Amino acid sequence: MWSSVLVLALVTVLDPPRLLAVFLVTSRPRPGKNLLFYYLGCLVLNFWFLLVPLAVLHFVPTLGTLLQRYAAPPAADSGSTLQPIPLALGVLSLLIAARLAMRLRVRRKTSDASPLDADSATNGESPTEATKPNPISTAISRLSTVEEGSQGLAAAIRRLVGRVYGAWKEGSVWISLFMGLTYSPLQATAALAVIATSGAPILAQLSAAVSFVAIMLAVVELILLGYLISHSKTEAVLRSAHGWTEVHNLEVFATISAVGGVFLVATGLGVF
């Protein structure tokens, strides 16, 4: 049990969606406080997902027998089974990565063809990018704009989007807490199955679940530890990292999409 849980946890440390969430959370005002609330949200969700079922199966053993009785029989062959949802998400992520790579190639060709762009590249960005507004911010601003006097469901949704986006820009910690409460990796389900069917004592099962969550969130914990040891140095490192990613945003998001797509496709094909 312990070796399987450890492998699953180590595989999940560099989970692309969580790394993206950490990047977004630490790019907001009060990054340390927001990251702490994101971490608390992750703990609540994953402890609820892992510890509660294990406790229920321990104190209500008839439930485990009932689930085994009505569970689908195992496949006759030992080959891997397809998981359509991770496979579809992985293909979509790879398509996004390919699209970003094409945009990056066009941008580099344009930059090489223009001497003015080459001169401005020494400052970290091209002049067209420096004056071009953020497309995500522009789209959200349009989506949250409500005409005066408008009523109905669409207007209510626009107002809600506007309030959430305003809270995001102001650095509200509740947005980070909600982000932590809304995502649990696929490996958590596999870890739950491994632990629940191990036959180990309940304390060992709970310890394995807690260890899985602690290792899974190692990146977040290391950053929080850095804030605890040296607040100013950690923020300086994060600002430097965010400055670099703002200049190389297409490369970063293309890499994240590609890595996440390969991982999801492998999961969908039953490799992991």
Side-chain angles (χ1 to χ4, degrees):
M1 175 188 72
W2 282 101
S3 59
S4 299
V5 171
L6 179 60
V7 170
L8 288 170
L10 291 176
V11 168
T12 319
V13 168
L14 299 179
D15 184 39
R18 174 163 291 109
L19 294 180
L20 180 59
V22 171
F23 172 78
L24 292 174
V25 167
T26 54
S27 65
R28 305 175 61 216
R30 298 177 295 175
K33 192 172 183 179
N34 276 283
L35 186 63
L36 176 60
F37 272 76
Y38 172 75
Y39 178 67
L40 293 177
C42 292
L43 289 182
V44 170
L45 174 66
N46 288 282
F47 282 162
W48 174 268
F49 182 77
L50 293 173
L51 300 185
V52 172
L54 291 175
V56 169
L57 290 175
H58 174 73
F59 292 107
V60 189
T62 55
L63 180 61
T65 305
L66 186 65
L67 291 176
Q68 291 180 356
R69 179 181 304 175
Y70 290 99
D77 57 353
S78 58
S80 59
T81 57
L82 292 178
Q83 301 181 45
I85 295 179
L87 185 60
L89 292 176
V91 172
L92 178 61
S93 184
L94 290 176
L95 291 176
I96 293 174
R99 175 61 178 170
L100 291 174
M102 291 175 61
R103 288 186 58 186
L104 180 61
R105 185 178 180 182
V106 171
R107 189 175 71 175
R108 286 178 175 174
K109 286 184 177 180
T110 305
S111 178
D112 293 338
S114 174
L116 180 61
D117 289 346
D119 292 338
S120 61
T122 58
N123 296 327
E125 58 183 1
S126 65
T128 55
E129 290 175 351
T131 58
K132 186 177 180 181
N134 189 330
I136 298 178
S137 300
T138 303
I140 295 178
S141 298
R142 291 178 180 175
L143 183 62
S144 59
T145 301
V146 183
E147 296 181 1
E148 187 176 355
S150 60
Q151 301 292 334
L153 179 61
I157 294 176
R158 287 176 178 269
R159 291 190 184 94
L160 178 61
V161 171
R163 291 174 182 172
V164 172
Y165 185 56
W168 170 265
K169 291 195 298 183
E170 293 172 1
S172 174
V173 295
W174 304 112
I175 303 295
S176 300
L177 179 65
F178 178 77
M179 290 175 63
L181 289 170
T182 53
Y183 174 72
S184 184
L186 297 173
Q187 289 80 9
T189 305
L192 177 61
V194 169
I195 296 172
T197 58
S198 64
I202 183 60
L203 289 180
Q205 293 186 16
L206 296 178
S207 299
V210 172
S211 301
F212 172 82
V213 175
I215 297 173
M216 177 183 69
L217 298 175
V219 173
V220 182
E221 292 161 352
L222 287 175
I223 299 176
L224 290 175
L225 182 61
Y227 268 101
L228 185 63
I229 296 174
S230 178
H231 185 278
S232 58
K233 290 184 178 179
T234 303
E235 282 208 343
V237 171
L238 289 177
R239 280 196 301 267
S240 177
H242 284 298
W244 184 88
T245 53
E246 285 180 2
V247 176
H248 304 280
N249 51 3
L250 284 182
E251 292 92 333
V252 171
F253 288 116
T255 302
I256 292 176
S257 297
V259 173
V262 171
F263 179 77
L264 287 171
V265 168
T267 303
L269 294 176
V271 177
F272 296 128

